[in-house]
Amino acid sequence: MLSAVRYLLSKVISPLWRTAQVEANGGPSDAAESESISHVRDGVVTELGLDHGLIDGAIYFTSDMVLGGAPLKEGDAVTCIAVKDGAQGGWKARRVSKSFDAWETRDETSVEDDCARLRPLIGSITSLDRKGGYINQNTYFPRSSLCEGYEPMTGDCIQAKYFVKPDRWTTEAHSVAPLRYCRLNQVCVTSVCVNKGVVEDSVFFCLDSLMLPADYKPLRGHLVNLVMVESNQSFYRWRALCMAPCTEGLKSDPTQMSMTEMESLLENKGGLDVSSYGQFGDLMRGERRQLVLWIQNKGSETHRLKTCDFAGWDSEEQFCFSKVKTGCEEQPRSGSSGDPAEEQGHHADEADSKEAYVSPGVRREEREVDIPPGERLSIAVACQAKSLGSCDELLLLHFSSFIIGRRLEVTVCSEEERLLCPSAPYNPANAKHVPLPATPSHVITLTAPTDTFRLSKRRLPCFLPSYNVPQSLRHCVAGQKDVLVVRPCLGEELSASNAQDRFSTLLWLEELNAEKELEEFTVHGSLLRKGAVYLHLEVLGLTEGRPYLNIGDRIVLKRPQSNGVVVECVSCVVEINDEDVSLKVNSEFQRCYLGEPLDVEFSLNRITMRRCHHAVEQTKSFAEIFFPSRVTPQSPLLAVKWVDEDDTNKTLDGNKQAAAKENEQLASISFDMKSKATQTKDGAVPVKPIPSLGHFFNPNLNPSQRDAVKRILAAECRPTPYVLFGPPGTGKTITLIEAILQVYHFLPSSRVLVCTPSNSAADLICIRLHDSGFLHAASMARINASCRQEKCIPEMLRQYSRAGEDISQASLYRIVVSTCSSAGMFFNLGLQVGHFTHVFLDEAGQATEPESLIPISLISEKDGQLVLAGDPCQLGPIVKSKVAAAFGLGVSMLERLMANPLYARQEWGYNPKLVTKLIYNYRSHEALLTMPSKLFYHGELCVKAPKAVVDSLCMWKTLPKKGFPLLFHGVRGKEMREGNNPSWFNPVEAVQAMMYSCQLAKKSYKPVAASEIGIIAPYRKQV
């Protein structure tokens, strides 16, 4: 009733309102002004379309102008800010806020008040200049907003308060302060490089933003006092804000050289003119070349050259002195002007044959040669090409009172490198651009047949909602506007109340970025090959994932007609072979296609995004799991009296027959209890006898691994997540396998879901469970995505994959393994809450939080056991959108929980009921483990790798330091592309990697098998 009254009143008053507005603004004489702004209170929505409407019959607005995206209907009271365009004479709303009645529970303020209200923001500084900078790439802050004594730097974690500027609808910080800070006393500067350094191997500092006492510069070895703030600087999490010397009792490192000092070193001094040419050019590996540099005294004093040597930039020592002139030249050579600039760079064979040679390979020469005024001296330098790529060295000429330096440069090539050079210059496919009509008069869309291409028996009962990107957010990103204006929840700290809105927005931002990336791969004028059934498209760069395609994806083919009509065919990917894609198209389009050029547009597959959105909707039910604030102990799921290792050996020796009989009974019971749906013809008994309760399937587990298995089996803190903190090489996967086997065999009411972010990690879990020998063939199902081709599935896992083809039947298996995304297929079955009693999420640190929520939302929020296994200190999830990453999409659930006080490390360690940290490393040499252990794991990692393996290459002749099996080889090659393939490669790096591999494989003593050599490259073309 109230809405109807408002509507009628607005119709009556709107002409008066418009007249009043004209009079208030000075009448028609102000039409020349570009814009007038008016604040309208108690306006009423009088007309409403699909995405637009009118307020009081006069002010036009669109749905993306409505604050918070609140839905409006005719008769709703609103408050808005309207702008009048002088040229058009109409009013358009810049911001619309829905008004609420006095008796409504929501406390709503006006648009102006809402804009002026200060909101909290926690984020990081993403850019900086002299006047200010940006937080999370969107919120601007001026220098005046910084708290006293704070000098910011990109990467700093900050807490701020911001407001919305209504004139431009951007956000600006009112105050900015560090999120966390701390003071350290009497700590040592451990490294300094140019203007950056590190304190105690953990605190980063940069001289450009470091507050220091006057005339003080920190050097390696100095003891200092400092105040540090939380900041993301590479793998350092703290940055020094201010620093003062405590004492200089330790020796400092005198080798540091600034850019200013370098420029001073390269300058001519004392009237001496030294040849500036030091280019050796391109040399083949093994080739030798010599250059002559001249020192001419153009001054009035005699100078003595005392020593010639090199700075040691080139670790291969390719440069040396070949010959040095024994005396000064009385006169310039005939035909010469006497200017060394005209003779610089002469090869040694062009120099005077009477010059005295010194022994080859000399890196330092003690010389006592006087250079009188007007005379000159030659210095011959040779280069023996050894190390591939570009290389620099610094020649130092020591005179009595100063030093003059000259930079020497060489590029070393090889025949193999030349063979790898581009066969054709890079020419992107888009160069053959065939433009479409700017505004086609008519578009005819043809679609491919709707049958899907899945494994033979896969059945998906229904589909997820679309979760389309809101238009307001799409317009905001397209216009590069401040995302906080349309989605203020991003500025709030993540909590159970805003998790759904926040994660949904971050997912949409990532989706918009993915759409933008796909647009860059649009191909114009592509020629398709016509087959008997399909059209075949060559997609260069597909093997690199540029673009990333799967079977079932949609590709739009466009064919412009001469009459302005565009025929648009939506095709479906049915087969992928390297860079050849087979497309199923409309039968009429297939018949009429005669090989003419087509424009190809790639479409984003949104299935994973939709599953993430669906899982995010469940966050309110799982608030205590995702945001635990306390732990409520529960009775153990299984009371077990564990047998110690020594007791285990005695029991096995003395009771073999009893154990075998018990295992037979347990195996038969376990097999009989399986549902008929999971019993198959090849469901034979396990190969190995099953140990009795209280014994481990793998007796070789170390104490921390055993403790983790016990905690998982007891599940005393369920449903609060349990974290298995597994640094690299500590046996995390082995521990998970043991825990899964224990749950499967000794908790008969259990049903386990094991998920990983990638297929390779899921396959590894399946293979390890299969190889354990303690499972029936009908115990486990491996669920694969519908787009995964059978040739990509390991042979031994195909029997488990066939069991996962029918999703309904696969859900009945006691152990189900899948990726996080594929677990979303269970949403379609209408499973009861608690269908899966245990969820193991392996490599949890590599999954985004919404991706992790997909399998987690399938367990009971009251009694389910969730195990997160991974390492928050390793690489996190891959997030392409910079804005989404800045607001936290790149932070995994594992990393976020480890920052929770319940999970954080205390002085005495971690809470054993919630976290078990594996500390025994079985993979790495001690020298390789020391630094990461100290930087990331509090120095707790212990070396347990077999010495015969990790020490096998410690004395390899190529190692610069014997006993330290690590070699850094900087190669200054050139990144290249060829033809219209977007993939990059570096021939010099490829040849160097090949040379090292050959040296390892052809060692005279214990050669390394080719299958034991791994090479990692960022691009497939490089491999």
Side-chain angles (χ1 to χ4, degrees):
M1 183 65 183
L2 181 61
S3 298
V5 172
R6 284 174 174 166
Y7 180 78
L8 292 175
L9 287 175
S10 67
K11 287 293 186 181
V12 174
I13 298 174
S14 59
L16 301 177
W17 184 89
R18 287 196 294 271
T19 304
Q21 288 295 333
V22 172
E23 293 174 355
N25 288 316
S29 60
D30 289 339
E33 296 182 7
S34 61
E35 284 187 347
S36 298
I37 299 178
S38 177
H39 300 275
V40 179
R41 298 177 183 272
D42 299 326
V44 179
V45 178
T46 54
E47 295 182 25
L48 198 62
L50 184 62
D51 60 351
H52 63 278
L54 289 178
I55 299 172
D56 295 337
I59 304 176
Y60 174 81
F61 72 93
T62 57
S63 57
D64 58 332
M65 298 296 179
V66 182
L67 190 66
L72 296 177
K73 60 182 181 294
E74 291 187 3
D76 280 352
V78 295
T79 301
C80 73
I81 296 177
V83 177
K84 184 177 182 180
D85 188 345
Q88 300 295 330
W91 288 88
K92 183 176 181 180
R94 292 292 296 271
R95 211 67 186 155
V96 180
S97 176
K98 183 178 180 181
S99 300
F100 289 82
D101 297 318
W103 55 81
E104 293 191 46
T105 58
R106 180 172 174 178
D107 181 19
E108 189 70 18
T109 60
S110 66
V111 177
E112 306 97 289
D113 294 339
D114 185 72
C115 293
R117 181 168 58 91
L118 295 180
R119 300 172 172 87
L121 172 64
I122 294 177
S124 61
I125 296 177
T126 51
S127 62
L128 200 63
D129 57 30
R130 294 182 179 179
K131 296 182 179 180
Y134 283 88
I135 302 169
N136 295 347
Q137 297 189 341
N138 288 281
T139 303
Y140 175 77
F141 68 90
R143 287 276 178 175
S144 59
S145 66
L146 300 175
C147 67
E148 184 178 358
Y150 175 50
E151 180 63 30
M153 184 175 178
T154 301
D156 285 0
C157 299
I158 56 91
Q159 52 185 347
K161 291 186 177 180
Y162 75 95
F163 60 92
V164 178
K165 301 179 69 174
D167 54 343
R168 296 186 179 180
W169 294 110
T170 58
T171 54
E172 182 175 315
H174 175 268
S175 62
V176 179
L179 182 62
R180 292 197 298 162
Y181 60 91
C182 182
R183 179 184 175 90
L184 293 179
N185 294 323
Q186 294 188 347
V187 287
C188 180
V189 178
T190 49
S191 66
V192 178
C193 182
V194 192
N195 66 332
K196 297 179 175 64
V198 181
V199 179
E200 291 291 327
D201 291 327
S202 59
V203 182
F204 172 86
F205 69 84
C206 178
L207 297 180
D208 296 337
S209 60
L210 184 66
M211 289 180 279
L212 295 168
D215 301 326
Y216 173 68
K217 180 180 178 181
L219 296 175
R220 182 180 178 185
H222 284 190
L223 286 180
V224 296
N225 299 330
L226 60 86
V227 173
M228 59 183 183
V229 296
E230 187 176 11
S231 183
N232 293 315
Q233 304 294 336
S234 185
F235 47 73
Y236 301 105
R237 291 295 173 263
W238 293 93
R239 176 182 72 85
L241 182 65
C242 57
M243 183 186 298
C246 176
T247 178
E248 297 186 13
L250 298 178
K251 292 183 179 180
S252 61
D253 189 352
T255 61
Q256 309 297 330
M257 184 180 297
S258 66
M259 293 299 296
T260 304
E261 293 170 335
M262 175 60 67
E263 291 175 359
S264 176
L265 184 65
L266 296 177
E267 290 178 351
N268 290 321
K269 303 176 183 70
L272 295 178
D273 187 4
V274 181
S275 304
S276 60
Y277 183 85
Q279 301 284 341
F280 281 80
D282 295 343
L283 294 182
M284 298 299 293
R285 190 167 180 268
E287 186 180 353
R288 181 183 177 91
R289 180 172 295 174
Q290 302 170 11
L291 287 181
V292 177
L293 284 79
W294 294 92
I295 308 172
Q296 183 168 4
N297 190 346
K298 294 183 177 181
S300 58
E301 298 180 4
T302 299
H303 293 281
R304 170 165 290 193
L305 176 63
K306 304 186 70 174
T307 308
C308 304
D309 62 3
F310 299 96
W313 291 358
D314 176 24
S315 60
E316 294 291 335
E317 298 186 352
Q318 299 174 100
F319 298 90
C320 64
F321 297 107
S322 175
K323 54 184 177 179
V324 179
K325 193 73 173 176
T326 56
C328 300
E329 296 193 5
E330 300 295 337
Q331 301 177 12
R333 286 164 27 178
S334 61
S336 171
S337 64
D339 188 353
E342 296 183 6
E343 301 182 33
Q344 60 186 8
H346 281 300
H347 290 243
D349 52 12
E350 300 175 11
D352 195 332
S353 60
K354 294 182 180 179
E355 293 175 342
Y357 280 80
V358 297
S359 58
V362 175
R363 295 273 300 170
R364 179 182 176 87
E365 271 292 311
E366 299 291 343
R367 308 294 300 172
E368 294 291 338
V369 181
D370 290 330
I371 310 176
E375 301 297 334
R376 64 177 183 171
L377 177 71
S378 62
I379 303 292
V381 181
C383 177
Q384 182 71 43
K386 302 177 184 178
S387 180
L388 293 176
S390 300
C391 178
D392 290 355
E393 180 59 280
L394 183 63
L395 170 66
L396 299 175
L397 305 174
H398 299 264
F399 294 90
S400 300
S401 57
F402 52 81
I403 302 173
I404 298 178
R406 284 296 177 263
R407 187 187 295 268
L408 307 176
E409 300 178 2
V410 67
T411 300
V412 182
C413 312
S414 67
E415 290 294 341
E416 294 84 356
E417 177 191 345
R418 292 183 177 180
L419 293 175
L420 294 176
C421 285
S423 58
Y426 179 60
N427 182 24
N430 279 352
K432 302 180 295 183
H433 179 59
V434 180
L436 286 174
T439 53
S441 59
H442 189 57
V443 177
I444 301 175
T445 302
L446 305 174
T447 58
T450 56
D451 54 315
T452 54
F453 302 89
R454 303 187 177 95
L455 299 179
S456 56
K457 295 183 180 179
R458 183 165 316 277
R459 282 186 276 176
L460 297 179
C462 60
F463 294 93
L464 298 170
S466 295
Y467 300 103
N468 292 322
V469 181
Q471 287 299 319
S472 57
L473 185 61
R474 186 180 292 275
H475 294 330
C476 176
V477 173
Q480 297 183 345
K481 299 178 181 178
D482 194 341
V483 71
L484 279 176
V485 174
V486 294
R487 292 286 167 174
C489 62
L490 293 180
E492 303 170 4
E493 186 176 1
L494 181 64
S495 63
S497 60
N498 65 15
Q500 181 177 347
D501 291 340
R502 186 181 177 91
F503 283 132
S504 294
T505 302
L506 294 177
L507 288 169
W508 282 324
L509 289 171
E510 181 71 3
E511 182 177 343
L512 290 172
N513 186 81
E515 289 179 356
K516 183 179 178 181
E517 286 187 346
L518 278 178
E519 289 176 1
E520 296 175 358
F521 295 111
T522 298
V523 181
H524 298 284
S526 179
L527 298 177
L528 281 67
R529 291 182 291 106
K530 187 174 182 180
V533 181
Y534 307 128
L535 293 181
H536 300 277
L537 170 67
E538 183 182 15
V539 183
L540 298 174
L542 184 61
T543 53
E544 300 282 344
R546 297 184 297 173
Y548 183 77
L549 291 181
N550 274 319
I551 292 177
D553 286 357
R554 304 291 176 178
I555 294 180
V556 180
L557 308 176
K558 292 185 176 181
R559 182 172 60 193
Q561 304 291 320
S562 57
N563 55 0
V565 176
V566 174
V567 177
E568 184 180 274
C569 178
V570 180
S571 63
C572 182
V573 177
V574 294
E575 189 175 347
I576 300 175
N577 291 307
D578 294 328
E579 295 186 337
D580 186 79
V581 179
S582 299
L583 304 176
K584 186 163 187 176
V585 298
N586 178 275
S587 58
E588 181 66 19
F589 189 90
Q590 168 88 11
R591 184 181 63 82
C592 297
Y593 180 68
L594 301 176
E596 60 271 23
L598 300 176
D599 292 336
V600 180
E601 295 180 359
F602 301 96
S603 302
L604 179 67
N605 189 331
R606 301 186 64 248
I607 186 64
T608 298
M609 288 290 184
R610 291 163 59 195
R611 289 170 179 166
C612 288
H613 281 287
H614 185 75
V616 164
E617 288 183 347
Q618 317 300 318
T619 53
K620 292 183 179 179
S621 303
F622 289 82
E624 288 301 319
I625 295 180
F626 301 150
F627 301 93
S629 57
R630 66 181 187 275
V631 176
T632 304
Q634 298 197 42
S635 58
L637 283 177
L638 184 64
V640 183
K641 184 177 181 181
W642 293 94
V643 180
D644 294 335
E645 190 172 356
D646 295 337
D647 297 335
T648 301
N649 295 333
K650 294 177 183 178
T651 303
L652 291 176
D653 292 338
N655 303 291
K656 288 184 179 179
Q657 293 181 354
K661 184 176 180 181
E662 183 180 0
N663 290 340
E664 260 183 37
Q665 294 174 350
L666 184 59
S668 62
I669 293 174
S670 177
F671 184 74
D672 291 341
M673 290 181 64
K674 296 182 187 295
S675 66
K676 294 182 179 180
T678 62
Q679 292 185 15
T680 61
K681 294 182 179 179
D682 54 354
V685 296
V687 178
K688 299 178 183 178
I690 301 172
S692 58
L693 183 64
H695 293 78
F696 291 96
F697 291 84
N698 184 353
N700 298 320
L701 297 179
N702 61 47
S704 57
Q705 291 173 325
R706 289 170 177 251
D707 185 60
V709 173
K710 295 175 184 178
R711 297 288 182 185
I712 294 172
L713 201 60
E716 293 178 293
C717 296
R718 63 188 187 278
T720 306
Y722 176 85
V723 173
L724 179 60
F725 186 173
T730 53
K732 169 178 59 67
T733 303
I734 291 176
T735 308
L736 280 184
I737 298 302
E738 177 71 29
I740 294 170
L741 291 174
Q742 292 280 348
V743 170
Y744 174 80
H745 285 289
F746 301 124
L747 287 174
S749 62
S750 65
R751 179 175 283 114
V752 177
L753 176 62
V754 187
C755 290
T756 67
S758 64
N759 275 311
S760 58
D763 288 343
L764 178 62
I765 293 287
C766 271
I767 292 172
R768 293 287 180 87
L769 287 170
H770 172 84
D771 291 342
S772 70
F774 293 109
L775 293 178
H776 302 287
S779 303
M780 177 171 62
R782 169 70 169 98
I783 294 180
N784 293 284
S786 58
C787 60
R788 195 181 189 196
Q789 295 175 289
E790 187 173 359
K791 65 181 181 182
C792 300
I793 302 175
E795 182 66 34
M796 71 170 60
L797 299 185
R798 292 183 181 176
Q799 59 175 332
Y800 303 109
S801 297
R802 285 192 291 271
E805 289 179 352
D806 189 323
I807 304 301
S808 299
Q809 295 299 325
S811 66
L812 302 177
Y813 280 69
R814 291 277 311 283
I815 299 177
V816 179
V817 183
S818 77
T819 61
C820 294
S821 176
S822 296
M825 288 189 278
F826 289 118
F827 290 150
N828 305 321
L829 301 180
L831 300 178
Q832 293 183 352
V833 174
H835 178 83
F836 291 101
T837 61
H838 292 70
V839 168
F840 291 84
L841 183 55
D842 194 16
E843 303 296 352
Q846 298 179 14
T848 64
E849 189 149 355
E851 191 177 6
S852 301
L853 297 179
I854 297 175
I856 294 173
S857 58
L858 293 169
I859 62 171
S860 169
E861 68 273 19
K862 296 181 180 180
D863 202 44
Q865 171 69 339
L866 170 62
V867 179
L868 302 179
D871 182 2
C873 298
Q874 294 187 52
L875 292 177
I878 298 176
V879 177
K880 298 292 186 66
S881 169
K882 293 182 179 180
V883 179
F887 283 106
L889 187 59
V891 178
S892 65
M893 176 182 287
L894 177 65
E895 183 179 355
R896 181 176 62 80
L897 284 179
M898 291 300 288
N900 186 300
L902 292 177
Y903 292 84
R905 186 180 186 274
Q906 309 297 329
E907 293 182 0
W908 43 267
Y910 297 96
N911 183 346
K913 292 185 177 181
L914 294 178
V915 181
T916 297
K917 182 179 180 181
L918 305 180
I919 60 173
Y920 296 102
N921 181 280
Y922 297 92
R923 182 182 299 167
S924 304
H925 190 277
E926 183 177 6
L928 305 180
L929 196 63
T930 301
M931 186 181 74
S933 175
K934 187 176 181 181
L935 287 176
F936 304 113
Y937 307 108
H938 301 90
E940 295 175 338
L941 298 187
C942 303
V943 179
K944 291 292 183 180
K947 277 193 166 293
V949 177
V950 296
D951 290 346
S952 59
L953 291 174
C954 281
M955 303 309 292
W956 184 32
K957 64 179 182 180
T958 308
L959 288 176
K961 182 179 179 181
K962 302 299 183 288
F964 189 81
L966 180 63
L967 184 151
F968 289 100
H969 190 138
V971 178
R972 292 171 57 185
K974 185 178 181 181
E975 304 288 339
M976 301 180 180
R977 291 191 287 186
E978 65 179 356
N980 50 9
N981 192 321
S983 182
W984 292 89
F985 64 100
N986 188 316
V988 181
E989 292 180 357
V991 172
Q992 187 60 62
M994 179 203 69
M995 291 168 56
Y996 280 135
S997 300
C998 292
Q999 291 176 25
L1000 289 170
K1002 295 180 180 179
K1003 284 177 59 197
S1004 58
Y1005 179 70
K1006 292 185 178 180
V1008 180
S1011 59
E1012 297 294 323
I1013 300 175
I1015 299 177
I1016 301 175
Y1019 304 109
R1020 185 178 296 271
K1021 186 77 173 178
Q1022 183 76 5
V1023 180

